Amino acid sequence: MKIYDVLILGAGASGLMCASYLDKNLQVAIVDVNEKVAKKLKISGGGKCNITNVEVSENNFDGDKELVEYALSVFSRDDLLNFLNDNGVEPVIRKDRYYFCKNSSDEIIDILKRKTQHFDTLLKTEIIELKKIDNIFELKTSKSVLKSKKVVVATGGKSFKSLGASEIGLKIAKDFAIKVKEFTPALVGMTLQKEQFWMKELSGLSCYVHITVNDKILKEEMLFAHKGISGPSVLSASLYWQKGTVSVNFLPNSNIINLINSSKKLVSSVIPLPKRLSRAILKALNVEDIECGKLNKEAIENLKNIHSYEFAPAGNFGFIKAEVSRGGIISSELNRYTLEALDVEGLYFTGEVVDVTGELGGYNFQWAFSSAVVCANSMNC
Ligand SMILES: Cc1cc2nc3c(=O)[nH]c(=O)nc-3n(C[C@H](O)[C@H](O)[C@H](O)COP(=O)(O)OP(=O)(O)OC[C@H]3O[C@@H](n4cnc5c(N)ncnc54)[C@H](O)[C@@H]3O)c2cc1C
């Protein structure tokens, strides 16, 4: 029976990038349950995938900062952009900070396919179990048993089951007594408690806000949805929120005290937000929509909370809507410089299956790619 040098579990962003950087002379197989490679990459960012960001540092990630810092030093944003440029793809910058494919995610997928075409890609093959017997790994799949000297687990997180997601990475780790943190949904909309149901009535509206969660401030659009709140600022905030309150500044670029100087105008008409939203916020703050000059001291105090509207979300929209899963293989179980499990020689973990999660804005692909290259480099040595 053939014994591969490396089996890569998962033909997603991380698994394919890892394979792309492996020595061509190695015997490698990439295994995936889907009928096509890189399904998440394909649909992400509205089909143009947001692959990285103008500003990338370990501070954009939830997880082991030193692990992320090292991975970014090995394969930085510029290294990623150079890799793409060298292969004929020039991503474009949107909204001054997000790098997207110009026309379609296929631009990147085609590079990854080309770079891995000399390896075996085994699709429609579900990974069931991994064992290590006499220093050789045995992978049980829905089709056969595959043997290999080394294994890279790049099976991603749990969100979007329809795209092949599963918890097999955590199962494999647990079978080898490697500690994991269970997956929870992240980069996901938030549901609301009764007191904030007024936001649901604004479904479809959006505005630029600053959301503070613990010591993080997320500065982006917030979208009111019929299920709760969403949009880039809320998705990023969900990464840092587990329970407790968040605080929303609905007017980060103005000062409400200056705005209510125009004494004859109605309060709602001096607030630079859609009228429907201004009125709803005033109601939530217990401020009457009267002429600014007629506001009493108490109303002005209440109105100041437009800069720090505090509330406790009820929960989130769950794995069906979550862009990523927080949690995964605990970083202290891995060699930071290789991503090999400290106690299982030859077993590596890369990408979303590791307990590192990025904010919204291309950080999760950057991590998937950077961690993949760390792993590939160490196997080429
Ligand atoms: C809708 C959506 C939009 C997103 N947009 C962005 C974005 O614009 N920018 C960004 O940075 N991130 C984005 N993300 C997150 C990003 O897609 C992931 O973080 C990234 O794909 C992780 O790469 P990975 O290789 O670790 O996992 P994946 O890309 O998920 O790859 C894992 C692979 O493993 C396979 N697999 C899993 N279990 C099994 C099994 N039991 N048997 C066989 N195969 C299995 C899967 O089929 C999959 O192909 C988005 C996610 C979603 C869901």
Short mmCIF file of all heavy atoms in Angstrom, two decimals, residues 116-147:
data_model
loop_
_atom_site.label_atom_id
_atom_site.label_comp_id
_atom_site.label_asym_id
_atom_site.label_seq_id
_atom_site.Cartn_x
_atom_site.Cartn_y
_atom_site.Cartn_z
N THR A 116 -0.94 22.98 -7.07
CA THR A 116 -1.06 21.69 -6.38
C THR A 116 -1.41 20.56 -7.34
O THR A 116 -1.70 19.44 -6.91
CB THR A 116 -2.16 21.77 -5.28
OG1 THR A 116 -3.39 22.19 -5.86
CG2 THR A 116 -1.80 22.74 -4.18
N GLN A 117 -1.37 20.86 -8.65
CA GLN A 117 -1.88 19.87 -9.61
C GLN A 117 -1.04 18.59 -9.68
O GLN A 117 -1.53 17.55 -10.10
CB GLN A 117 -2.00 20.50 -11.00
CG GLN A 117 -0.70 20.92 -11.61
CD GLN A 117 -0.88 21.75 -12.88
OE1 GLN A 117 -2.00 21.93 -13.33
NE2 GLN A 117 0.20 22.24 -13.43
N HIS A 118 0.23 18.68 -9.24
CA HIS A 118 1.09 17.49 -9.30
C HIS A 118 0.83 16.56 -8.11
O HIS A 118 1.39 15.48 -8.04
CB HIS A 118 2.56 17.91 -9.33
CG HIS A 118 2.86 19.03 -8.38
ND1 HIS A 118 2.53 20.33 -8.64
CD2 HIS A 118 3.38 19.01 -7.14
CE1 HIS A 118 2.87 21.09 -7.61
NE2 HIS A 118 3.38 20.31 -6.68
N PHE A 119 0.00 16.98 -7.16
CA PHE A 119 -0.35 16.13 -6.01
C PHE A 119 -1.71 15.45 -6.26
O PHE A 119 -2.49 15.90 -7.10
CB PHE A 119 -0.42 16.96 -4.72
CG PHE A 119 0.88 17.60 -4.31
CD1 PHE A 119 0.89 18.85 -3.69
CD2 PHE A 119 2.10 16.94 -4.49
CE1 PHE A 119 2.09 19.45 -3.28
CE2 PHE A 119 3.29 17.53 -4.09
CZ PHE A 119 3.29 18.78 -3.49
N ASP A 120 -1.98 14.40 -5.49
CA ASP A 120 -3.31 13.76 -5.59
C ASP A 120 -4.34 14.61 -4.84
O ASP A 120 -4.12 14.97 -3.69
CB ASP A 120 -3.28 12.36 -4.93
CG ASP A 120 -2.39 11.39 -5.70
OD1 ASP A 120 -2.06 11.69 -6.87
OD2 ASP A 120 -2.02 10.35 -5.12
N THR A 121 -5.43 14.92 -5.51
CA THR A 121 -6.53 15.62 -4.81
C THR A 121 -7.72 14.67 -4.79
O THR A 121 -8.28 14.33 -5.83
CB THR A 121 -6.88 16.94 -5.54
OG1 THR A 121 -5.71 17.75 -5.57
CG2 THR A 121 -7.97 17.70 -4.79
N LEU A 122 -8.05 14.21 -3.60
CA LEU A 122 -9.11 13.21 -3.45
C LEU A 122 -10.37 13.88 -2.95
O LEU A 122 -10.49 14.22 -1.78
CB LEU A 122 -8.65 12.12 -2.47
CG LEU A 122 -7.23 11.56 -2.72
CD1 LEU A 122 -6.82 10.60 -1.63
CD2 LEU A 122 -7.17 10.86 -4.09
N LEU A 123 -11.30 14.12 -3.89
CA LEU A 123 -12.54 14.83 -3.54
C LEU A 123 -13.66 13.84 -3.22
O LEU A 123 -13.49 12.64 -3.36
CB LEU A 123 -12.92 15.78 -4.67
CG LEU A 123 -11.86 16.86 -4.95
CD1 LEU A 123 -12.23 17.68 -6.18
CD2 LEU A 123 -11.68 17.76 -3.74
N LYS A 124 -14.79 14.38 -2.78
CA LYS A 124 -15.95 13.56 -2.38
C LYS A 124 -15.50 12.46 -1.43
O LYS A 124 -15.97 11.31 -1.51
CB LYS A 124 -16.62 12.95 -3.61
CG LYS A 124 -17.28 13.97 -4.53
CD LYS A 124 -18.11 13.21 -5.53
CE LYS A 124 -18.44 13.99 -6.75
NZ LYS A 124 -18.91 13.22 -7.86
N THR A 125 -14.56 12.77 -0.58
CA THR A 125 -13.98 11.78 0.33
C THR A 125 -14.08 12.30 1.76
O THR A 125 -13.36 13.24 2.14
CB THR A 125 -12.48 11.54 -0.04
OG1 THR A 125 -12.43 11.21 -1.43
CG2 THR A 125 -11.87 10.45 0.79
N GLU A 126 -14.96 11.72 2.51
CA GLU A 126 -15.15 12.21 3.88
C GLU A 126 -14.10 11.62 4.82
O GLU A 126 -13.82 10.41 4.79
CB GLU A 126 -16.56 11.83 4.38
CG GLU A 126 -16.85 12.51 5.71
CD GLU A 126 -18.20 12.14 6.31
OE1 GLU A 126 -18.96 11.36 5.68
OE2 GLU A 126 -18.47 12.63 7.41
N ILE A 127 -13.53 12.48 5.63
CA ILE A 127 -12.53 12.03 6.61
C ILE A 127 -13.30 11.52 7.84
O ILE A 127 -14.15 12.23 8.38
CB ILE A 127 -11.61 13.20 7.00
CG1 ILE A 127 -10.82 13.64 5.77
CG2 ILE A 127 -10.71 12.84 8.16
CD1 ILE A 127 -10.39 15.08 5.82
N ILE A 128 -12.96 10.33 8.25
CA ILE A 128 -13.71 9.74 9.36
C ILE A 128 -12.85 9.63 10.62
O ILE A 128 -13.26 10.01 11.71
CB ILE A 128 -14.29 8.37 8.94
CG1 ILE A 128 -15.35 8.64 7.85
CG2 ILE A 128 -14.92 7.63 10.13
CD1 ILE A 128 -15.85 7.43 7.15
N GLU A 129 -11.63 9.15 10.49
CA GLU A 129 -10.81 8.92 11.68
C GLU A 129 -9.33 8.89 11.31
O GLU A 129 -8.96 8.45 10.22
CB GLU A 129 -11.22 7.57 12.30
CG GLU A 129 -10.67 7.36 13.68
CD GLU A 129 -11.17 6.05 14.29
OE1 GLU A 129 -11.36 5.06 13.52
OE2 GLU A 129 -11.39 6.02 15.51
N LEU A 130 -8.52 9.35 12.24
CA LEU A 130 -7.06 9.29 12.03
C LEU A 130 -6.45 8.52 13.19
O LEU A 130 -6.74 8.79 14.36
CB LEU A 130 -6.47 10.70 11.96
CG LEU A 130 -4.97 10.77 11.68
CD1 LEU A 130 -4.67 10.39 10.22
CD2 LEU A 130 -4.42 12.17 11.96
N LYS A 131 -5.54 7.60 12.83
CA LYS A 131 -4.82 6.83 13.87
C LYS A 131 -3.34 6.86 13.52
O LYS A 131 -2.97 7.11 12.37
CB LYS A 131 -5.29 5.37 13.87
CG LYS A 131 -6.63 5.16 14.51
CD LYS A 131 -6.92 3.68 14.55
CE LYS A 131 -8.27 3.43 15.19
NZ LYS A 131 -8.76 2.10 14.90
N LYS A 132 -2.51 6.54 14.52
CA LYS A 132 -1.08 6.42 14.23
C LYS A 132 -0.64 5.04 14.70
O LYS A 132 -0.78 4.71 15.89
CB LYS A 132 -0.29 7.51 14.95
CG LYS A 132 1.12 7.66 14.44
CD LYS A 132 1.85 8.81 15.13
CE LYS A 132 3.22 9.01 14.50
NZ LYS A 132 4.03 9.95 15.27
N ILE A 133 -0.16 4.25 13.74
CA ILE A 133 0.24 2.89 14.09
C ILE A 133 1.68 2.69 13.62
O ILE A 133 1.99 2.87 12.44
CB ILE A 133 -0.71 1.86 13.41
CG1 ILE A 133 -2.15 2.08 13.94
CG2 ILE A 133 -0.24 0.43 13.68
CD1 ILE A 133 -3.23 1.43 13.12
N ASP A 134 2.55 2.36 14.54
CA ASP A 134 3.98 2.17 14.24
C ASP A 134 4.56 3.34 13.44
O ASP A 134 5.16 3.15 12.38
CB ASP A 134 4.21 0.86 13.45
CG ASP A 134 3.79 -0.35 14.25
OD1 ASP A 134 3.80 -0.24 15.50
OD2 ASP A 134 3.41 -1.37 13.65
N ASN A 135 4.34 4.53 13.92
CA ASN A 135 4.89 5.74 13.30
C ASN A 135 4.30 6.12 11.95
O ASN A 135 4.78 7.05 11.30
CB ASN A 135 6.42 5.65 13.15
CG ASN A 135 7.09 6.03 14.44
OD1 ASN A 135 6.52 6.79 15.24
ND2 ASN A 135 8.27 5.47 14.68
N ILE A 136 3.29 5.40 11.51
CA ILE A 136 2.62 5.76 10.25
C ILE A 136 1.16 6.12 10.57
O ILE A 136 0.49 5.43 11.33
CB ILE A 136 2.66 4.56 9.25
CG1 ILE A 136 4.11 4.25 8.83
CG2 ILE A 136 1.79 4.84 8.01
CD1 ILE A 136 4.80 5.34 8.00
N PHE A 137 0.71 7.22 9.97
CA PHE A 137 -0.68 7.63 10.17
C PHE A 137 -1.58 6.83 9.23
O PHE A 137 -1.22 6.60 8.07
CB PHE A 137 -0.85 9.12 9.88
CG PHE A 137 -0.23 10.01 10.92
CD1 PHE A 137 1.03 10.56 10.73
CD2 PHE A 137 -0.90 10.29 12.11
CE1 PHE A 137 1.61 11.36 11.70
CE2 PHE A 137 -0.33 11.10 13.08
CZ PHE A 137 0.93 11.64 12.88
N GLU A 138 -2.73 6.45 9.76
CA GLU A 138 -3.73 5.77 8.91
C GLU A 138 -5.00 6.59 8.94
O GLU A 138 -5.59 6.81 10.00
CB GLU A 138 -4.01 4.37 9.45
CG GLU A 138 -2.89 3.40 9.16
CD GLU A 138 -3.27 1.93 9.40
OE1 GLU A 138 -4.48 1.63 9.53
OE2 GLU A 138 -2.34 1.12 9.47
N LEU A 139 -5.40 7.05 7.77
CA LEU A 139 -6.60 7.89 7.68
C LEU A 139 -7.75 7.08 7.12
O LEU A 139 -7.69 6.60 5.97
CB LEU A 139 -6.33 9.10 6.76
CG LEU A 139 -7.51 10.07 6.64
CD1 LEU A 139 -7.67 10.90 7.91
CD2 LEU A 139 -7.34 10.99 5.43
N LYS A 140 -8.79 6.94 7.95
CA LYS A 140 -9.97 6.23 7.46
C LYS A 140 -10.88 7.25 6.79
O LYS A 140 -11.24 8.28 7.41
CB LYS A 140 -10.68 5.56 8.63
CG LYS A 140 -11.81 4.67 8.24
CD LYS A 140 -12.35 3.97 9.48
CE LYS A 140 -13.70 3.38 9.19
NZ LYS A 140 -14.43 3.06 10.41
N THR A 141 -11.22 7.01 5.54
CA THR A 141 -12.15 7.91 4.84
C THR A 141 -13.37 7.12 4.41
O THR A 141 -13.42 5.90 4.56
CB THR A 141 -11.50 8.55 3.58
OG1 THR A 141 -11.44 7.54 2.56
CG2 THR A 141 -10.12 9.10 3.86
N SER A 142 -14.33 7.83 3.83
CA SER A 142 -15.54 7.17 3.35
C SER A 142 -15.23 6.22 2.19
O SER A 142 -16.06 5.40 1.82
CB SER A 142 -16.55 8.22 2.91
OG SER A 142 -15.94 9.12 2.01
N LYS A 143 -14.02 6.34 1.59
CA LYS A 143 -13.71 5.53 0.42
C LYS A 143 -12.65 4.47 0.67
O LYS A 143 -12.67 3.42 0.05
CB LYS A 143 -13.25 6.44 -0.72
CG LYS A 143 -14.38 7.31 -1.26
CD LYS A 143 -14.01 7.94 -2.56
CE LYS A 143 -15.20 8.65 -3.17
NZ LYS A 143 -14.76 9.69 -4.10
N SER A 144 -11.66 4.79 1.53
CA SER A 144 -10.55 3.84 1.72
C SER A 144 -9.75 4.23 2.96
O SER A 144 -10.12 5.16 3.68
CB SER A 144 -9.63 3.87 0.50
OG SER A 144 -9.03 5.16 0.42
N VAL A 145 -8.65 3.52 3.16
CA VAL A 145 -7.72 3.91 4.22
C VAL A 145 -6.45 4.41 3.53
O VAL A 145 -5.94 3.78 2.61
CB VAL A 145 -7.40 2.71 5.15
CG1 VAL A 145 -6.29 3.09 6.13
CG2 VAL A 145 -8.64 2.28 5.90
N LEU A 146 -5.98 5.59 3.95
CA LEU A 146 -4.77 6.17 3.35
C LEU A 146 -3.67 6.19 4.41
O LEU A 146 -3.95 6.43 5.58
CB LEU A 146 -5.05 7.60 2.89
CG LEU A 146 -6.16 7.78 1.85
CD1 LEU A 146 -6.61 9.23 1.77
CD2 LEU A 146 -5.68 7.29 0.48
N LYS A 147 -2.44 5.95 3.96
CA LYS A 147 -1.33 5.94 4.91
C LYS A 147 -0.37 7.08 4.62
O LYS A 147 -0.16 7.43 3.46
CB LYS A 147 -0.60 4.61 4.84
CG LYS A 147 -1.44 3.45 5.36
CD LYS A 147 -0.57 2.22 5.56
CE LYS A 147 -1.40 1.09 6.16
NZ LYS A 147 -0.57 -0.03 6.60
#
